[in-house]
Amino acid sequence: MTTKRGKARRATRAPAKENGGHVITVTVNGTKYVRTVEPRVLLVDFIRDELRLTGTHVGCDTSHCGACTVLADGHAVKSCTMLAVQADGAEVTTIEALAPKGRLHPLQEAFKEHHGLQCGYCTPGVVLAALELLQVENAPTEEAIRTAISGNICRCTGYVNIVRAISAAGDMMRPGRK
Amino acid sequence: MAQKVFGERVLRKEDDRFLTGRGSYVADMLPPGTVYAVFVRSPYAHARIVRINTAKAAKLRGVLGVLTAQDLKDEVGSIFTAWTIPNSDLKTPPYYPLARDVVRYQGEAVAVVVAENPYLAEDARELVEVEYDPLPVVVDTEAAVKKGAPQVHGEAPGNVAFKWTLAGGDVDAVFREAEVVVSQRFVNQRLQPTALEPRAAIAQYEPGTKELTLFVTSQNPFVHRLILSLVLKHPEHLIRVVAPDVGGGFGSKIPCYPWEAVVCHLAMRFGRPVKWVEDRTENYVATTHGRDHVQYVDLAAKKDGTILGIKARVLANMGAYLSTAAPGIPTILFGFMVGGCYAIKAGRVEVTGVFSNTTPVDAYRGAGRPEALFLLERMVDILARKLTKDPAEIRRKNFIPPDKFPYPSAMGLTYDSGNYEPTLKKALAKVGYDRLRKEQAEARKKGKLMGIGLSAYVEICGLGPSSVVTSTGFAGGLWGGSTVRVHPTGKATVYTGGHPHGQGEETTFAQIVAQELGIPVADIEVVHGDTKLTPYGQGTYGSRTTPVEGGSVALSARKVRDKARKIAAHLLEAREEDLDFADGKFFVRGSPKASKTIQEVAWAAYMAGSMPKDVEPILDATTFYDPSNFVFPFGCHVCVVDVDRDTGQVSIRRYVAVDDCGNQINPMIVEGQVHGGVLQGLAQAMLEQTVYDENGNLLTNSLLEYLVPTAMEAPNIETDSTVTPSPHNPIGVKGVGETGTIASSQAYVNAVCDAIGVDHIDMPITPEKVWRSLHKK
Amino acid sequence: MQARSFDYVRPATMAQALKVLREEGSRAKVLAGGQSLIPVLKLRLAEPKLLVDIGRIPGLAFIEERRDGLRIGAMTRHRDLGLSKLVRDKYTLLSDAAASLGDPQVRNLGTIGGSLAHADPASDWGTALLAFETDLVVRGQQGTRAISIDKFFKDTFTTALRPSELLIEIRIPKAERTDGGAYLKLKRKTGDFATVGVAVQLGLDEKGTVAGVRIGLAAMGPTPMRAKKAEEILVGRRAGPTAFAEAAKVAAEEARPASDLRGSAEFKRAMVEVYARRALETATKRAGR
């Protein structure tokens, strides 16, 4: 937080891109971006501030809440606990990818049908965490669902409807069903 | 009206944008030219500020400026509380936007840095040199009022912020005649609301029009506007406050915070939009906390289990300063409900507000009512234990009978409607109470621990009748404002003074209007959260949006319908009384072909080519609805737990909630509110606790130490309901946003105490506390 | 909060990585999954001048059983250890550990090597690996060496790794069919560090006697530790409630917990006893398979 006894700190180097910017190539939602970033820039800040994809949210600073969850190379990760430079060469999926032409993904439909969201802040992260689960297991048990979203905090719903929604989405996404 | 929309499970209109990541939260906004503010906050809980050297920080390239209290002195006034409870000797020491001379809690802001980007702003913040001279610290509520405790404010001797008493009936007589008196001390521990969206603000100033615009995470933009106009001495009509999508509030986004005023000032000073976004660590020290009572309670009863009266002596921690609504929470919203569902004859509540070197305390989901119902329902179980009576029976015996409503409670408020026993019956049936008690008896023989905890509640919400609330010292009537407008092409907009942040009124208010006017829900937009767009409204908290703002919407819609009827009659050349209205159509009774749709009427009202006498053009109506009373939702919850004797771990086997919030506009949304509310109350009982060390360092300053439940800690929550409409509300609704929290903590604690056979364990009930109770007595 | 500035390099080969580490010494920190390091940087609790990202170096993530035992690459993600059938069938204690730490997102990125090198006193991997005669293979510019797990943890957040070295592999002796193990963790909620963590790996002979056993304890001192006295009690004894109760009691006495927000020392000690007993029971059941 703040300096206690006013110990002077050496002035840090000049800010932003003069300070050893790295060129990275990240594919986000299918689009390739080539950008220069400072090493310390978090992936979530890159997504939100540089790419202006603000559907990924920040809810804490200790990697607990999961609101920043995106898929990196298909796996759910907390984008606040990843540097943008680490994502060089990676394929990132954010919530904006799920309904590209406005037609909701089954997961999104299910969340709506089952009232799996209230204030909406945790929702993108929860949906992506659930997406990873449903990509490997389309008839998950309740315990598997709760485990899959155990890295996502929701303060509004009590999780009951989120679990229902994910289960229903699994039904919808099973092969052979429309 | 043939088609029913009110009462249906309509899917939420707000969901599409949230599900696709197109919500617009304050932190998502980035006006051109934005610069960033970060606050330098005191690491000390109590200290004199000796010296602040901002030179090094200000010199960093990209830093626009570094300000301290000195720079704000004549520009930004101190923040004040808006609830000055009368007859309480309330002390209101100033709360400066940046600390002057003394800091009084860890996290109080002493300086602010403005820079071109947020990373740089943090680098510069580290260069601000602040020299503190630490002062003695007091954090504990009871320690703060002891003789010799460090004084937080010179003008509040003994750290007493207020002393407030509420009494009804002859308490002393009741306790004299009592055959049984049970007594218990309770700690209703301090909590951190932890809305998932940290707070944020963006201020912009337009010198050409002198309009100051503040985008802010607020539950009540007009409250912010009013307070800021006074603090900034900027004309009220030239301030626009916009609360866009807000990611949860739970009371922590009601207050106007000092740093919001500072951000406004910075925008005016630097001529650039100024953006401040809190991180979670900052949120935990600088956003208001909740609860924090120590309560000494006595309950007077007869041997047959009749509850006669209740006394509560309470110390309520206010923190270092009085926040916006703070003084009214442990008094007005607490004291009146200590009788709960029971026909008690008398009660007395004495509350002392206490200053301490901790973060200011204000409303948190339930705000005063959880603290009241918790102590009452725990006392009922303690009484039941003492008398070896069934806790369900004692409750049933003491319920206010249904024929006594509206019921003038001993504490002074009239409960509008109630029918408590059916909720108890339903809850017990749903959980299989009798079978569980049998199972428990068998289990006890084998040394296995299981417990059943009941919780009956009635609470006060739908804030509220203005004459009452203003007489309690609240600086504003709590009426609801709305405009319903039907546009020329038959679409409608509802402008409301509420500001939902998860509660679903963008859908339910559309349902209200759809029901009244027959316009499809899809054609109705609900607008809220912008002081430039909506009629004056006091915002969303205290479960007021549906009953009060929703009541206003219904009245506005009815005015529109009445006006439309006049126009339709005129167009159909019929008498008003000969017209029926169904499915959005006015038609002459007996000649259904002679009809006008509401859309046709809207067009005619816009054209105004031929209007009835004395009727103005455009289908538009505004209502400021001042409710005649609060509303009193009620219910009964049951929690069943199993306890691991070796480790003290408790697992919730079942949780059943039966609630009555009057008419339900949308049962799906009602259920969602119950789920969320219940889990927050359970979280208080199981996990959450704000912890300070003796130096006032907040130890629970991150989600690592402040334990909020994940899906793994959350039980399944089964819900059911009864419907007892509010007789005075235009649509018969009561609030339900807080009922879950008001009921659930004590359901859990009652269950655990029942399982292990003790009178009481303070929350949060950790495995260690259970283990100690079992093994270390 | 945001981290202070640092430089960043992502070497493509082991040789490059070792060269950088040798040159930079303590100015550099190795970045593996980042799940421990990045939060530390964000809170400004550490200020390395250079981050060396080893995520692209090939050949560091694998789970293989060789004739002499199980070999795990240091960059193997927690998730993959949790999903491995080989690990679940034969080294079940490691499956328990993988499932018990963090949450799914953390498990997707975090690595066993990174976790070990971080050396938290409550390290689930550190504790679990203490229950085997684990060797940690470490490489520097001067060559490769193996460090016994018993000598690896020096102090809180301090290991036997030199600044210029990289942990590259974890080696566990081959488990017999008559071996069984379990890792039990008491935590306040999902994602929390252990309040108490007990790892047991034991081997039974044909008579059901304990032929060998190792017990690891998490969060009971400055580093994960062995409950050696408890182990001594068990060797040669018949695996059963009497021996387990005795051993568990001794393990609790060996533990050196501190009182903190997770509980008092007294409670933690009592839980060591309960969890040690339960872990021994579970390990024995699994040994029967």
Side-chain angles (χ1 to χ4, degrees), chain B residues 295-316:
Chain B
Q295 308 163 329
Y296 293 88
V297 187
D298 306 297
L299 191 78
K302 299 221 286 253
K303 283 209 200 77
D304 67 358
T306 307
I307 299 169
L308 300 173
I310 188 165
K311 282 192 291 195
R313 186 171 58 81
V314 177
L315 293 169

CSV table of all heavy atoms in Angstrom, one decimal, chain B residues 295-316:
chain,number,residue,atom,x,y,z
B,295,GLN,N,-24.2,-7.4,21.5
B,295,GLN,CA,-25.5,-7.3,22.0
B,295,GLN,C,-25.7,-8.1,23.3
B,295,GLN,O,-25.3,-9.3,23.4
B,295,GLN,CB,-26.5,-7.8,21.0
B,295,GLN,CG,-26.3,-7.2,19.6
B,295,GLN,CD,-27.0,-8.1,18.5
B,295,GLN,OE1,-27.1,-9.3,18.6
B,295,GLN,NE2,-27.5,-7.4,17.5
B,296,TYR,N,-26.3,-7.5,24.3
B,296,TYR,CA,-26.7,-8.2,25.5
B,296,TYR,C,-28.2,-8.2,25.6
B,296,TYR,O,-28.8,-7.2,25.6
B,296,TYR,CB,-26.1,-7.4,26.8
B,296,TYR,CG,-24.6,-7.5,26.8
B,296,TYR,CD1,-23.8,-6.5,26.2
B,296,TYR,CD2,-23.9,-8.5,27.5
B,296,TYR,CE1,-22.4,-6.6,26.2
B,296,TYR,CE2,-22.6,-8.6,27.5
B,296,TYR,CZ,-21.8,-7.6,26.9
B,296,TYR,OH,-20.5,-7.7,26.9
B,297,VAL,N,-28.7,-9.4,25.5
B,297,VAL,CA,-30.1,-9.6,25.3
B,297,VAL,C,-30.8,-10.4,26.4
B,297,VAL,O,-30.2,-11.4,26.9
B,297,VAL,CB,-30.4,-10.3,24.0
B,297,VAL,CG1,-31.9,-10.3,23.7
B,297,VAL,CG2,-29.7,-9.6,22.9
B,298,ASP,N,-31.9,-10.0,26.9
B,298,ASP,CA,-32.7,-10.7,27.8
B,298,ASP,C,-34.1,-11.0,27.2
B,298,ASP,O,-34.7,-10.1,26.7
B,298,ASP,CB,-32.9,-10.0,29.1
B,298,ASP,CG,-31.5,-9.5,29.7
B,298,ASP,OD1,-30.7,-10.4,30.0
B,298,ASP,OD2,-31.3,-8.3,29.8
B,299,LEU,N,-34.6,-12.2,27.4
B,299,LEU,CA,-35.9,-12.5,26.9
B,299,LEU,C,-36.8,-13.0,28.1
B,299,LEU,O,-36.3,-13.8,28.9
B,299,LEU,CB,-35.8,-13.6,25.9
B,299,LEU,CG,-37.1,-13.9,25.1
B,299,LEU,CD1,-37.3,-12.8,24.0
B,299,LEU,CD2,-37.0,-15.3,24.4
B,300,ALA,N,-37.9,-12.4,28.3
B,300,ALA,CA,-38.8,-12.7,29.4
B,300,ALA,C,-39.9,-13.6,28.8
B,300,ALA,O,-40.5,-13.3,27.8
B,300,ALA,CB,-39.4,-11.5,30.0
B,301,ALA,N,-40.3,-14.7,29.6
B,301,ALA,CA,-41.3,-15.6,29.1
B,301,ALA,C,-42.0,-16.3,30.2
B,301,ALA,O,-41.6,-16.2,31.4
B,301,ALA,CB,-40.6,-16.7,28.2
B,302,LYS,N,-43.0,-17.0,29.9
B,302,LYS,CA,-43.7,-17.9,30.8
B,302,LYS,C,-43.2,-19.3,30.7
B,302,LYS,O,-42.7,-19.7,29.6
B,302,LYS,CB,-45.2,-17.8,30.6
B,302,LYS,CG,-45.8,-16.4,30.8
B,302,LYS,CD,-47.2,-16.4,31.5
B,302,LYS,CE,-48.3,-16.9,30.7
B,302,LYS,NZ,-49.2,-15.9,30.3
B,303,LYS,N,-43.5,-20.1,31.7
B,303,LYS,CA,-43.0,-21.5,31.6
B,303,LYS,C,-43.6,-22.3,30.5
B,303,LYS,O,-43.1,-23.2,30.0
B,303,LYS,CB,-43.3,-22.2,32.9
B,303,LYS,CG,-42.3,-21.9,34.0
B,303,LYS,CD,-42.2,-23.0,35.0
B,303,LYS,CE,-41.6,-22.6,36.3
B,303,LYS,NZ,-42.6,-22.0,37.2
B,304,ASP,N,-44.8,-21.8,30.1
B,304,ASP,CA,-45.5,-22.5,29.0
B,304,ASP,C,-44.9,-22.1,27.6
B,304,ASP,O,-45.4,-22.5,26.6
B,304,ASP,CB,-47.0,-22.3,29.0
B,304,ASP,CG,-47.4,-20.9,28.7
B,304,ASP,OD1,-46.5,-20.0,28.5
B,304,ASP,OD2,-48.6,-20.6,28.7
B,305,GLY,N,-43.9,-21.2,27.6
B,305,GLY,CA,-43.3,-20.8,26.4
B,305,GLY,C,-43.8,-19.5,25.8
B,305,GLY,O,-43.4,-19.1,24.7
B,306,THR,N,-44.8,-18.9,26.4
B,306,THR,CA,-45.2,-17.6,25.9
B,306,THR,C,-44.1,-16.6,26.1
B,306,THR,O,-43.6,-16.4,27.2
B,306,THR,CB,-46.5,-17.1,26.7
B,306,THR,OG1,-47.4,-18.2,26.7
B,306,THR,CG2,-47.1,-15.9,26.1
B,307,ILE,N,-43.8,-15.9,25.0
B,307,ILE,CA,-42.8,-14.8,25.1
B,307,ILE,C,-43.4,-13.5,25.5
B,307,ILE,O,-44.4,-13.1,24.9
B,307,ILE,CB,-42.1,-14.7,23.7
B,307,ILE,CG1,-41.4,-16.0,23.3
B,307,ILE,CG2,-41.0,-13.6,23.8
B,307,ILE,CD1,-40.9,-16.0,21.9
B,308,LEU,N,-42.9,-12.9,26.5
B,308,LEU,CA,-43.5,-11.7,27.0
B,308,LEU,C,-42.9,-10.4,26.5
B,308,LEU,O,-43.5,-9.4,26.2
B,308,LEU,CB,-43.5,-11.7,28.6
B,308,LEU,CG,-44.3,-12.9,29.2
B,308,LEU,CD1,-44.1,-12.9,30.7
B,308,LEU,CD2,-45.8,-12.8,28.9
B,309,GLY,N,-41.5,-10.4,26.6
B,309,GLY,CA,-40.8,-9.2,26.2
B,309,GLY,C,-39.4,-9.4,26.0
B,309,GLY,O,-38.8,-10.5,26.3
B,310,ILE,N,-38.7,-8.4,25.5
B,310,ILE,CA,-37.3,-8.5,25.2
B,310,ILE,C,-36.6,-7.2,25.5
B,310,ILE,O,-37.1,-6.1,25.4
B,310,ILE,CB,-37.2,-8.9,23.7
B,310,ILE,CG1,-35.7,-9.2,23.3
B,310,ILE,CG2,-37.7,-7.7,22.8
B,310,ILE,CD1,-35.6,-9.9,22.0
B,311,LYS,N,-35.3,-7.4,26.0
B,311,LYS,CA,-34.5,-6.2,26.2
B,311,LYS,C,-33.2,-6.4,25.5
B,311,LYS,O,-32.6,-7.5,25.6
B,311,LYS,CB,-34.2,-6.1,27.7
B,311,LYS,CG,-35.3,-5.5,28.6
B,311,LYS,CD,-34.8,-5.2,30.0
B,311,LYS,CE,-34.5,-6.3,30.8
B,311,LYS,NZ,-34.4,-6.0,32.3
B,312,ALA,N,-32.7,-5.4,24.9
B,312,ALA,CA,-31.4,-5.5,24.2
B,312,ALA,C,-30.6,-4.3,24.5
B,312,ALA,O,-31.0,-3.2,24.2
B,312,ALA,CB,-31.6,-5.7,22.7
B,313,ARG,N,-29.4,-4.5,25.0
B,313,ARG,CA,-28.4,-3.4,25.1
B,313,ARG,C,-27.3,-3.7,24.1
B,313,ARG,O,-26.7,-4.7,24.1
B,313,ARG,CB,-27.9,-3.4,26.6
B,313,ARG,CG,-27.0,-2.2,26.9
B,313,ARG,CD,-26.6,-2.2,28.4
B,313,ARG,NE,-26.0,-3.4,28.8
B,313,ARG,CZ,-24.7,-3.7,28.7
B,313,ARG,NH1,-23.9,-2.8,28.1
B,313,ARG,NH2,-24.2,-4.8,29.2
B,314,VAL,N,-27.1,-2.7,23.2
B,314,VAL,CA,-26.3,-2.9,22.1
B,314,VAL,C,-25.2,-1.9,21.9
B,314,VAL,O,-25.4,-0.7,22.1
B,314,VAL,CB,-27.2,-2.9,20.8
B,314,VAL,CG1,-26.3,-3.1,19.5
B,314,VAL,CG2,-28.2,-4.0,20.8
B,315,LEU,N,-24.0,-2.4,21.6
B,315,LEU,CA,-22.9,-1.5,21.2
B,315,LEU,C,-22.7,-1.7,19.7
B,315,LEU,O,-22.5,-2.8,19.2
B,315,LEU,CB,-21.6,-1.8,21.9
B,315,LEU,CG,-21.7,-1.5,23.4
B,315,LEU,CD1,-20.4,-2.2,24.1
B,315,LEU,CD2,-21.7,0.0,23.7
B,316,ALA,N,-22.9,-0.6,18.9
B,316,ALA,CA,-22.7,-0.7,17.5
B,316,ALA,C,-21.5,0.1,17.0
B,316,ALA,O,-21.5,1.3,17.2
B,316,ALA,CB,-24.0,-0.2,16.8
